């Protein structure tokens, strides 16, 4: 099999600093069988000034379009890409230097229709970013919902690090017109269409995510709401595991209320905090990050849980099928 050509597609909205760091990491790739397609989604702070800096080292295509959200911007880039595979990155990702080599070797040895990789925290990330990364990848939180094990029967790639063949894009039509949950919807449609997906565990990216807990809360709240939209669009896709953050949210609020009357009701939450702290400290070797991981974990579970419950209530009472909140938070 010939070496596949890759197209790295990056939608961006008002984040030139992030794009600068991402492009710098792509310059360092050990193999260069890729082009870079940047889709500026109606930004007022554009990143086109970076082209002169990186054009000598990278094959870059730059497009500016009116704002439509990341999903349709990815489609816009894919329609103009030349590669055999389209790989989507979020603009707040940094790519390890051997990423392209790992993906290329895997595709040549074991061709697959769609794939994805995990994300990690870079040592240079702030303590808050490391704590958020912990909560987003830990199986003690909703990291278990996202999935990241090769033993999973079906792997649903996420758009921060997601690859598809050109054939997959042409036959599925790419991302739907959804502002939130569009990557899970796309992965679901890929699998329903009979295509094979795979986790390439070694093909990870460093994902900065949000820089404060309020931004993080808005992100996960929208993710919780999107889960109900997805269940309406794909009947049968809602699993018991998706209910757990809402159960945790309701249960923890009840325990907090009861603890005002009897202190013993606070013990389960205290135990959970100790477990989170210990596990994060084991992974991050930082007391500060471990402490912030408690805040990040509760923010994530409560944010996802309340968003899920809000959308569930609206669906049952008014029949709404799609939901969104914090509408300016399209780029996660």
């Amino acid at each position: 099999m010939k070496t596949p050509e890759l197209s790295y597609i990056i939608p961006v909205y008002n984040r030139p600093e992030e794009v600068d760091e991402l492009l710098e990491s792509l310059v360092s790739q050990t193999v260069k069988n890729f082009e870079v397609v940047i889709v500026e989604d109606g930004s007022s702070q554009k990143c086109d000034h970076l082209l002169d800096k990186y054009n000598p080292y990278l094959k870059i295509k730059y497009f500016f379009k009116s704002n439509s959200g990341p999903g349709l911007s990815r489609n816009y880039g894919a329609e103009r890409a030349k590669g055999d595979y389209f790989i989507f990155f979020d603009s707040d990702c940094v790519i390890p230097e051997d990423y392209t080599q790992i993906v290329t070797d895997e595709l040549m040895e074991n061709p697959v229709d769609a794939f994805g990789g995990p994300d990690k925290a870079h040592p240079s990330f702030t303590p808050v970013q490391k704590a958020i990364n912990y909560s987003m990848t830990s199986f003690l939180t909703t990291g278990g919902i996202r999935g990241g094990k090769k033993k999973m029967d079906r792997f649903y790639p996420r758009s921060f690090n997601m690859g598809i063949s050109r054939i997959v894009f042409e036959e599925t039509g790419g991302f739907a017109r959804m502002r939130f949950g569009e990557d899970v919807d796309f992965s679901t449609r890929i699998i329903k269409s009979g295509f094979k997906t795979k986790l390439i565990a070694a093909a990870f990216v460093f994902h900065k995510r949000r820089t404060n807990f309020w931004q993080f809360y808005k992100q996960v709240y929208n993710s919780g709401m999107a889960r109900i939209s997805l269940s309406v669009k794909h009947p049968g896709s809602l699993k018991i595991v998706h209910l757990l953050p809402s159960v945790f949210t309701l249960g923890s609020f009840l325990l907090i209320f009861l603890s005002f009357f009897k202190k013993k009701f606070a013990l389960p939450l205290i135990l959970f905090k100790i477990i989170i702290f210990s596990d994060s400290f084991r992974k991050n070797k930082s007391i500060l990050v471990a402490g912030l991981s408690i805040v990040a974990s509760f923010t994530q579970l409560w944010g996802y849980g309340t968003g899920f419950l809000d959308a569930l209530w609206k669906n049952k009472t008014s029949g709404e099928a799609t939901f969104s909140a914090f509408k300016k938070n399209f780029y996660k």
Side-chain angles (χ1 to χ4, degrees), residues 37-79:
V37 181
I38 299 174
V39 182
E40 193 92 64
D41 189 25
S43 300
S44 59
Q45 303 173 39
K46 298 195 291 185
C47 63
D48 54 347
H49 62 281
L50 298 172
L51 300 183
D52 289 341
K53 178 180 179 181
Y54 290 106
N55 271 331
Y57 312 103
L58 299 170
K59 293 180 287 185
I60 302 177
K61 295 178 180 177
Y62 174 88
F63 301 98
F64 184 91
K65 54 179 282 298
S66 59
N67 182 262
S68 64
L72 296 186
S73 295
R74 296 184 191 107
N75 290 349
Y76 188 97
E79 290 164 356

CSV table of all heavy atoms in Angstrom, one decimal, residues 37-79:
chain,number,residue,atom,x,y,z
A,37,VAL,N,-5.0,22.4,6.5
A,37,VAL,CA,-6.2,23.2,6.0
A,37,VAL,C,-6.8,23.9,7.2
A,37,VAL,O,-7.3,23.3,8.1
A,37,VAL,CB,-7.2,22.3,5.3
A,37,VAL,CG1,-8.4,23.1,4.8
A,37,VAL,CG2,-6.6,21.4,4.2
A,38,ILE,N,-6.6,25.3,7.2
A,38,ILE,CA,-7.1,26.1,8.2
A,38,ILE,C,-8.4,26.8,7.7
A,38,ILE,O,-8.4,27.4,6.7
A,38,ILE,CB,-6.1,27.2,8.6
A,38,ILE,CG1,-4.8,26.5,9.2
A,38,ILE,CG2,-6.7,28.1,9.7
A,38,ILE,CD1,-3.7,27.5,9.5
A,39,VAL,N,-9.5,26.6,8.5
A,39,VAL,CA,-10.7,27.2,8.2
A,39,VAL,C,-11.1,28.3,9.2
A,39,VAL,O,-11.4,27.9,10.4
A,39,VAL,CB,-11.9,26.2,8.0
A,39,VAL,CG1,-13.2,26.9,7.6
A,39,VAL,CG2,-11.5,25.1,7.0
A,40,GLU,N,-10.9,29.5,8.9
A,40,GLU,CA,-11.2,30.6,9.8
A,40,GLU,C,-12.8,30.9,9.8
A,40,GLU,O,-13.3,31.3,8.8
A,40,GLU,CB,-10.5,31.9,9.4
A,40,GLU,CG,-10.5,33.0,10.4
A,40,GLU,CD,-9.3,32.9,11.3
A,40,GLU,OE1,-8.1,33.1,10.8
A,40,GLU,OE2,-9.4,32.8,12.5
A,41,ASP,N,-13.4,30.6,10.9
A,41,ASP,CA,-14.9,30.6,10.9
A,41,ASP,C,-15.5,31.9,11.4
A,41,ASP,O,-16.1,32.1,12.4
A,41,ASP,CB,-15.3,29.5,11.9
A,41,ASP,CG,-16.8,29.2,11.8
A,41,ASP,OD1,-17.5,29.5,10.8
A,41,ASP,OD2,-17.4,28.7,12.8
A,42,GLY,N,-15.2,32.9,10.5
A,42,GLY,CA,-15.8,34.3,10.8
A,42,GLY,C,-15.1,35.0,11.9
A,42,GLY,O,-15.7,35.9,12.5
A,43,SER,N,-13.8,34.7,12.1
A,43,SER,CA,-13.1,35.3,13.2
A,43,SER,C,-12.9,36.8,13.0
A,43,SER,O,-12.7,37.3,11.9
A,43,SER,CB,-11.7,34.7,13.4
A,43,SER,OG,-11.8,33.3,13.7
A,44,SER,N,-12.9,37.6,14.1
A,44,SER,CA,-12.5,39.0,14.1
A,44,SER,C,-11.0,39.1,14.4
A,44,SER,O,-10.3,40.0,14.0
A,44,SER,CB,-13.3,39.8,15.1
A,44,SER,OG,-13.1,39.3,16.4
A,45,GLN,N,-10.4,38.1,15.1
A,45,GLN,CA,-9.0,38.0,15.3
A,45,GLN,C,-8.5,36.9,14.5
A,45,GLN,O,-8.4,35.7,14.9
A,45,GLN,CB,-8.7,37.7,16.8
A,45,GLN,CG,-9.3,38.7,17.8
A,45,GLN,CD,-9.2,38.3,19.2
A,45,GLN,OE1,-8.2,37.8,19.6
A,45,GLN,NE2,-10.2,38.5,20.0
A,46,LYS,N,-8.1,37.2,13.3
A,46,LYS,CA,-7.7,36.2,12.3
A,46,LYS,C,-6.2,35.7,12.5
A,46,LYS,O,-5.4,36.4,13.2
A,46,LYS,CB,-7.9,36.7,10.9
A,46,LYS,CG,-9.3,37.1,10.6
A,46,LYS,CD,-9.5,37.3,9.1
A,46,LYS,CE,-8.8,38.5,8.6
A,46,LYS,NZ,-9.1,38.8,7.1
A,47,CYS,N,-5.9,34.5,11.9
A,47,CYS,CA,-4.6,34.0,12.1
A,47,CYS,C,-3.9,34.0,10.7
A,47,CYS,O,-2.8,33.3,10.6
A,47,CYS,CB,-4.7,32.6,12.7
A,47,CYS,SG,-5.5,31.3,11.7
A,48,ASP,N,-4.4,34.7,9.7
A,48,ASP,CA,-3.8,34.6,8.4
A,48,ASP,C,-2.4,35.2,8.4
A,48,ASP,O,-1.5,34.9,7.5
A,48,ASP,CB,-4.6,35.4,7.4
A,48,ASP,CG,-5.0,36.8,7.8
A,48,ASP,OD1,-4.8,37.1,9.0
A,48,ASP,OD2,-5.5,37.5,6.9
A,49,HIS,N,-2.0,36.1,9.4
A,49,HIS,CA,-0.7,36.6,9.4
A,49,HIS,C,0.4,35.6,9.7
A,49,HIS,O,1.6,35.9,9.6
A,49,HIS,CB,-0.6,37.7,10.5
A,49,HIS,CG,-0.9,37.3,11.9
A,49,HIS,ND1,-2.2,37.0,12.4
A,49,HIS,CD2,-0.1,36.9,12.9
A,49,HIS,CE1,-2.1,36.6,13.6
A,49,HIS,NE2,-0.9,36.5,14.0
A,50,LEU,N,-0.1,34.4,10.2
A,50,LEU,CA,0.9,33.3,10.5
A,50,LEU,C,1.4,32.6,9.2
A,50,LEU,O,2.4,31.9,9.3
A,50,LEU,CB,0.2,32.3,11.4
A,50,LEU,CG,-0.2,32.8,12.8
A,50,LEU,CD1,-1.0,31.8,13.5
A,50,LEU,CD2,1.0,33.3,13.6
A,51,LEU,N,0.7,32.8,8.1
A,51,LEU,CA,1.1,32.0,6.9
A,51,LEU,C,2.5,32.3,6.5
A,51,LEU,O,3.2,31.4,6.1
A,51,LEU,CB,0.1,32.4,5.8
A,51,LEU,CG,-1.4,32.1,6.1
A,51,LEU,CD1,-2.3,32.4,4.9
A,51,LEU,CD2,-1.6,30.6,6.5
A,52,ASP,N,2.9,33.6,6.5
A,52,ASP,CA,4.3,33.9,6.0
A,52,ASP,C,5.3,33.2,6.9
A,52,ASP,O,6.4,32.8,6.4
A,52,ASP,CB,4.5,35.4,6.1
A,52,ASP,CG,3.8,36.1,5.0
A,52,ASP,OD1,3.3,35.5,4.0
A,52,ASP,OD2,3.6,37.3,5.2
A,53,LYS,N,5.0,33.0,8.2
A,53,LYS,CA,5.9,32.3,9.1
A,53,LYS,C,6.0,30.9,8.8
A,53,LYS,O,7.2,30.3,9.0
A,53,LYS,CB,5.4,32.6,10.6
A,53,LYS,CG,6.2,31.9,11.6
A,53,LYS,CD,5.7,32.2,13.0
A,53,LYS,CE,6.4,31.6,14.1
A,53,LYS,NZ,5.9,31.9,15.5
A,54,TYR,N,4.9,30.2,8.5
A,54,TYR,CA,5.0,28.7,8.4
A,54,TYR,C,4.9,28.2,6.9
A,54,TYR,O,5.2,27.0,6.7
A,54,TYR,CB,3.8,28.2,9.2
A,54,TYR,CG,4.0,28.3,10.7
A,54,TYR,CD1,3.3,29.3,11.4
A,54,TYR,CD2,4.9,27.5,11.3
A,54,TYR,CE1,3.5,29.4,12.7
A,54,TYR,CE2,5.1,27.7,12.7
A,54,TYR,CZ,4.4,28.6,13.4
A,54,TYR,OH,4.6,28.8,14.7
A,55,ASN,N,4.6,29.0,5.9
A,55,ASN,CA,4.6,28.5,4.6
A,55,ASN,C,5.9,27.9,4.1
A,55,ASN,O,5.8,26.9,3.3
A,55,ASN,CB,4.1,29.7,3.6
A,55,ASN,CG,2.6,29.8,3.5
A,55,ASN,OD1,1.9,28.8,3.6
A,55,ASN,ND2,2.1,31.0,3.2
A,56,PRO,N,7.0,28.4,4.5
A,56,PRO,CA,8.3,27.7,4.1
A,56,PRO,C,8.4,26.3,4.6
A,56,PRO,O,9.2,25.5,4.0
A,56,PRO,CB,9.4,28.7,4.7
A,56,PRO,CG,8.7,30.0,4.9
A,56,PRO,CD,7.3,29.6,5.3
A,57,TYR,N,7.7,25.9,5.6
A,57,TYR,CA,7.9,24.6,6.2
A,57,TYR,C,6.7,23.7,6.1
A,57,TYR,O,6.8,22.5,6.2
A,57,TYR,CB,8.1,24.8,7.7
A,57,TYR,CG,9.2,25.8,8.0
A,57,TYR,CD1,8.9,27.1,8.5
A,57,TYR,CD2,10.6,25.5,7.8
A,57,TYR,CE1,9.8,28.1,8.7
A,57,TYR,CE2,11.5,26.5,8.1
A,57,TYR,CZ,11.2,27.7,8.5
A,57,TYR,OH,12.1,28.7,8.8
A,58,LEU,N,5.5,24.2,5.8
A,58,LEU,CA,4.3,23.4,5.7
A,58,LEU,C,3.5,23.8,4.5
A,58,LEU,O,3.5,24.9,4.0
A,58,LEU,CB,3.4,23.7,7.0
A,58,LEU,CG,3.9,23.4,8.3
A,58,LEU,CD1,3.0,23.9,9.4
A,58,LEU,CD2,4.1,21.9,8.5
A,59,LYS,N,2.7,22.8,4.0
A,59,LYS,CA,1.8,23.0,2.9
A,59,LYS,C,0.5,23.5,3.5
A,59,LYS,O,-0.3,22.6,4.1
A,59,LYS,CB,1.6,21.8,2.1
A,59,LYS,CG,2.8,21.3,1.3
A,59,LYS,CD,2.6,20.1,0.5
A,59,LYS,CE,2.5,18.8,1.4
A,59,LYS,NZ,2.4,17.6,0.7
A,60,ILE,N,0.2,24.8,3.5
A,60,ILE,CA,-1.0,25.3,4.2
A,60,ILE,C,-2.0,25.9,3.2
A,60,ILE,O,-1.6,26.6,2.3
A,60,ILE,CB,-0.5,26.4,5.2
A,60,ILE,CG1,0.5,25.9,6.2
A,60,ILE,CG2,-1.8,27.0,5.9
A,60,ILE,CD1,1.0,27.0,7.1
A,61,LYS,N,-3.2,25.5,3.4
A,61,LYS,CA,-4.3,26.2,2.7
A,61,LYS,C,-5.2,26.9,3.8
A,61,LYS,O,-5.5,26.4,4.8
A,61,LYS,CB,-5.2,25.1,2.1
A,61,LYS,CG,-4.6,24.3,0.9
A,61,LYS,CD,-5.5,23.3,0.4
A,61,LYS,CE,-4.9,22.5,-0.7
A,61,LYS,NZ,-5.8,21.4,-1.2
A,62,TYR,N,-5.4,28.2,3.5
A,62,TYR,CA,-6.2,29.0,4.4
A,62,TYR,C,-7.4,29.5,3.8
A,62,TYR,O,-7.4,30.0,2.7
A,62,TYR,CB,-5.3,30.2,4.9
A,62,TYR,CG,-6.0,31.2,5.7
A,62,TYR,CD1,-6.0,31.0,7.1
A,62,TYR,CD2,-6.7,32.3,5.2
A,62,TYR,CE1,-6.7,32.0,7.9
A,62,TYR,CE2,-7.3,33.2,6.0
A,62,TYR,CZ,-7.3,33.0,7.3
A,62,TYR,OH,-8.0,33.9,8.1
A,63,PHE,N,-8.5,29.4,4.5
A,63,PHE,CA,-9.8,29.8,4.0
A,63,PHE,C,-10.5,30.6,5.1
A,63,PHE,O,-10.4,30.3,6.3
A,63,PHE,CB,-10.7,28.6,3.7
A,63,PHE,CG,-10.2,27.7,2.6
A,63,PHE,CD1,-9.5,26.6,3.0
A,63,PHE,CD2,-10.2,28.1,1.3
A,63,PHE,CE1,-8.9,25.7,2.0
A,63,PHE,CE2,-9.7,27.2,0.3
A,63,PHE,CZ,-9.0,26.1,0.7
A,64,PHE,N,-11.2,31.7,4.7
A,64,PHE,CA,-12.0,32.5,5.6
A,64,PHE,C,-13.5,32.4,5.2
A,64,PHE,O,-13.8,32.5,4.0
A,64,PHE,CB,-11.6,33.9,5.6
A,64,PHE,CG,-12.4,34.8,6.6
A,64,PHE,CD1,-11.9,35.0,7.9
A,64,PHE,CD2,-13.5,35.4,6.2
A,64,PHE,CE1,-12.6,35.7,8.8
A,64,PHE,CE2,-14.3,36.2,7.1
A,64,PHE,CZ,-13.8,36.3,8.4
A,65,LYS,N,-14.4,32.1,6.1
A,65,LYS,CA,-15.8,32.0,5.8
A,65,LYS,C,-16.6,32.6,6.9
A,65,LYS,O,-16.1,32.9,8.0
A,65,LYS,CB,-16.2,30.5,5.6
A,65,LYS,CG,-15.8,29.6,6.8
A,65,LYS,CD,-16.2,28.2,6.7
A,65,LYS,CE,-17.7,28.0,6.9
A,65,LYS,NZ,-18.1,28.4,8.3
A,66,SER,N,-17.9,32.8,6.6
A,66,SER,CA,-18.8,33.3,7.7
A,66,SER,C,-19.0,32.2,8.8
A,66,SER,O,-18.9,31.0,8.5
A,66,SER,CB,-20.2,33.7,7.1
A,66,SER,OG,-20.8,32.6,6.4
A,67,ASN,N,-19.3,32.7,9.9
A,67,ASN,CA,-19.4,31.8,11.1
A,67,ASN,C,-20.6,30.8,11.0
A,67,ASN,O,-21.7,31.2,10.7
A,67,ASN,CB,-19.6,32.6,12.4
A,67,ASN,CG,-19.6,31.8,13.6
A,67,ASN,OD1,-20.7,31.4,14.1
A,67,ASN,ND2,-18.5,31.4,14.1
A,68,SER,N,-20.3,29.5,11.2
A,68,SER,CA,-21.3,28.5,11.2
A,68,SER,C,-21.1,27.5,12.3
A,68,SER,O,-21.9,26.5,12.4
A,68,SER,CB,-21.2,27.8,9.8
A,68,SER,OG,-20.0,27.1,9.6
A,69,GLY,N,-20.0,27.6,13.1
A,69,GLY,CA,-19.7,26.6,14.1
A,69,GLY,C,-18.6,25.6,13.5
A,69,GLY,O,-18.4,25.5,12.3
A,70,PRO,N,-18.0,24.8,14.4
A,70,PRO,CA,-16.9,24.0,14.0
A,70,PRO,C,-17.3,22.8,13.1
A,70,PRO,O,-16.5,22.5,12.2
A,70,PRO,CB,-16.4,23.4,15.4
A,70,PRO,CG,-17.5,23.6,16.3
A,70,PRO,CD,-18.3,24.8,15.9
A,71,GLY,N,-18.5,22.2,13.2
A,71,GLY,CA,-18.8,21.1,12.4
A,71,GLY,C,-18.8,21.4,10.9
A,71,GLY,O,-18.2,20.7,10.1
A,72,LEU,N,-19.6,22.4,10.6
A,72,LEU,CA,-19.7,22.8,9.2
A,72,LEU,C,-18.4,23.4,8.7
A,72,LEU,O,-18.1,23.3,7.5
A,72,LEU,CB,-20.8,23.8,9.0
A,72,LEU,CG,-22.2,23.3,9.3
A,72,LEU,CD1,-23.3,24.3,8.9
A,72,LEU,CD2,-22.5,22.0,8.6
A,73,SER,N,-17.6,24.0,9.5
A,73,SER,CA,-16.3,24.5,9.1
A,73,SER,C,-15.3,23.3,8.8
A,73,SER,O,-14.5,23.4,7.9
A,73,SER,CB,-15.7,25.4,10.2
A,73,SER,OG,-16.4,26.5,10.4
A,74,ARG,N,-15.5,22.2,9.5
A,74,ARG,CA,-14.7,21.0,9.2
A,74,ARG,C,-15.1,20.5,7.8
A,74,ARG,O,-14.2,20.1,7.0
A,74,ARG,CB,-14.9,20.0,10.3
A,74,ARG,CG,-14.3,20.3,11.7
A,74,ARG,CD,-14.5,19.2,12.7
A,74,ARG,NE,-14.2,19.7,14.0
A,74,ARG,CZ,-15.1,19.9,14.9
A,74,ARG,NH1,-16.4,19.6,14.7
A,74,ARG,NH2,-14.8,20.3,16.1
A,75,ASN,N,-16.4,20.5,7.6
A,75,ASN,CA,-16.8,20.0,6.3
A,75,ASN,C,-16.3,20.9,5.2
A,75,ASN,O,-15.9,20.4,4.1
A,75,ASN,CB,-18.4,20.1,6.2
A,75,ASN,CG,-19.0,19.0,7.0
A,75,ASN,OD1,-18.4,18.1,7.5
A,75,ASN,ND2,-20.3,19.1,7.2
A,76,TYR,N,-16.3,22.2,5.4
A,76,TYR,CA,-15.8,23.2,4.4
A,76,TYR,C,-14.3,22.9,4.1
A,76,TYR,O,-13.9,22.9,2.9
A,76,TYR,CB,-15.9,24.6,5.0
A,76,TYR,CG,-15.6,25.7,4.1
A,76,TYR,CD1,-16.6,26.4,3.4
A,76,TYR,CD2,-14.3,26.2,3.9
A,76,TYR,CE1,-16.3,27.4,2.5
A,76,TYR,CE2,-14.0,27.2,3.0
A,76,TYR,CZ,-15.0,27.8,2.3
A,76,TYR,OH,-14.7,28.9,1.5
A,77,GLY,N,-13.5,22.6,5.1
A,77,GLY,CA,-12.1,22.2,4.9
A,77,GLY,C,-12.0,20.9,4.2
A,77,GLY,O,-11.1,20.8,3.3
A,78,ALA,N,-12.8,19.9,4.6
A,78,ALA,CA,-12.7,18.6,3.9
A,78,ALA,C,-13.0,18.7,2.4
A,78,ALA,O,-12.4,18.0,1.6
A,78,ALA,CB,-13.6,17.6,4.6
A,79,GLU,N,-14.0,19.5,2.1
A,79,GLU,CA,-14.4,19.6,0.7
A,79,GLU,C,-13.2,20.2,-0.2
A,79,GLU,O,-13.2,20.1,-1.4
A,79,GLU,CB,-15.6,20.5,0.6
A,79,GLU,CG,-16.9,19.9,1.1
A,79,GLU,CD,-18.0,20.9,1.4
A,79,GLU,OE1,-17.7,22.1,1.2
A,79,GLU,OE2,-19.1,20.4,1.7
